[in-house]
Each structure stands twice: as C-alpha cells, then as structure tokens.
Amino acid sequence: MPDPDTDTTTDAATARVRDAASALGLAVSVVPRPAAHSLEEAAAGLGIEPARIVKTLVVKRSDDTFLFALVPGYRQIAWPKLRSVVGVNKLRLPEPEVALAATGYERGTIVPLGSTTAWPVFADERISGRIAMGAGAHGFSLFVDSAELLSALGATIADISN
C-alpha cells in the first residue's frame, strides 16, 4: 500500500480530492484501502457492505467531451439508459491514457472531485447513504455522504445501470 508520507504523487492526488471537497463544503475522509481482488473483498477491507462502494467511470462522448457516470460497484452502466439520459447516440469508455488526460486520475482512482475538468456527473438512482469511492490515488478510498456529494456536484440522478 502506498505510504502517503513518502509518495508525493499519492499525496498530491489525494490532496486535490480533499481540497475540491472542502471547496464544495463536503465532509470527506480519505482512508488507506487494502488491495482487493473482488468487490466483496474490497468491501470487507473497508468494513462496509458491497452496495456502499461506488464506481466512478469517465465516459467519452462523440464530440470529445466527457462525463462521469457513478454506479454501485455491483452494477454496470446500462448504455442505452445512459445514452437516453444524456441525450446522445454514442458514448464509450475511453482508453486509459485518454481517461487520465481527461480527469488527471488513473483508472481505478477516478473521482469527480478534483478532476482537471469538472465534467457533468450522472449518478445511478440506487446510490444512497454513506459511500466509498476512488480517492485519486491507488490504495485509498474516499468516504462521503452520497446525497451531499450528488447535490454539491449538481449530478443528474437517473436509472443508468443494470
């Protein structure tokens, strides 16, 4: 697990997340997360139910702009539903290097807080309560109240997952 006291890249990434949360008036905690090979293992390592883990996916539009899709960890993006809510015909997951360029975060660490661009956020309607999500750096998770997060981000909340 990265050591935040010696890893300046990790420290800078999690600091961006914390600073962005603070600017929005969000109470968050960033905690070390043990390595995990499944959603259930990750949830157990964090001491939460798997339904409380939320994935942040950066999605590319055909006009080379992006959006964030937040879905519970046990679900997948329902592409027809998301396209309908966004009002477009084409959406796709970008290549890892494109996702990094669009957000400033590597896949597996992406979070809408502190992204290099404040892309619009679309959140699945099943997200509720206190959740854990990426924290901008590998080996860390962010805990936040989902209602406060979604409100602060001006998220569009809809049924976007299967």
Side-chain angles (χ1 to χ4, degrees):
M1 183 176 317
D3 180 350
D5 294 327
T6 60
D7 186 340
T8 57
T9 302
T10 295
D11 191 45
T14 58
R16 268 189 15 231
V17 171
R18 292 174 211 259
D19 291 347
S22 178
L24 292 171
L26 290 171
V28 301
S29 50
V30 175
V31 299
R33 178 185 43 80
H37 301 295
S38 69
L39 175 68
E40 292 74 19
E41 195 177 319
L46 292 169
I48 60 174
E49 295 295 317
R52 295 283 172 230
I53 294 180
V54 172
K55 297 183 283 195
T56 302
L57 302 164
V58 64
V59 177
K60 188 174 188 287
R61 300 180 200 214
S62 60
D63 66 359
D64 291 331
T65 63
F66 299 85
L67 61 90
F68 290 111
L70 278 58
V71 296
Y74 64 95
R75 297 182 67 86
Q76 302 296 318
I77 291 175
W79 292 103
K81 292 177 183 179
L82 183 58
R83 285 192 304 267
S84 176
V85 171
V86 175
V88 298
N89 292 327
K90 285 187 172 185
L91 292 172
R92 69 178 184 87
L93 293 177
E95 296 75 15
E97 63 276 6
V98 174
L100 174 61
T103 65
Y105 298 123
E106 292 181 17
R107 276 196 186 157
T109 72
I110 295 174
V111 59
L113 296 169
S115 174
T116 52
T117 301
W119 303 111
V121 176
F122 293 81
D124 190 76
E125 66 188 9
R126 292 161 191 84
I127 296 171
S128 67
R130 188 154 176 83
I131 58 170
M133 59 193 318
H138 292 288
F140 292 87
S141 289
L142 168 98
F143 282 85
V144 64
D145 179 85
S146 62
E148 292 174 9
L149 174 71
L150 300 178
S151 175
L153 294 173
T156 299
I157 300 169
D159 178 8
I160 61 167
S161 71
N162 291 327

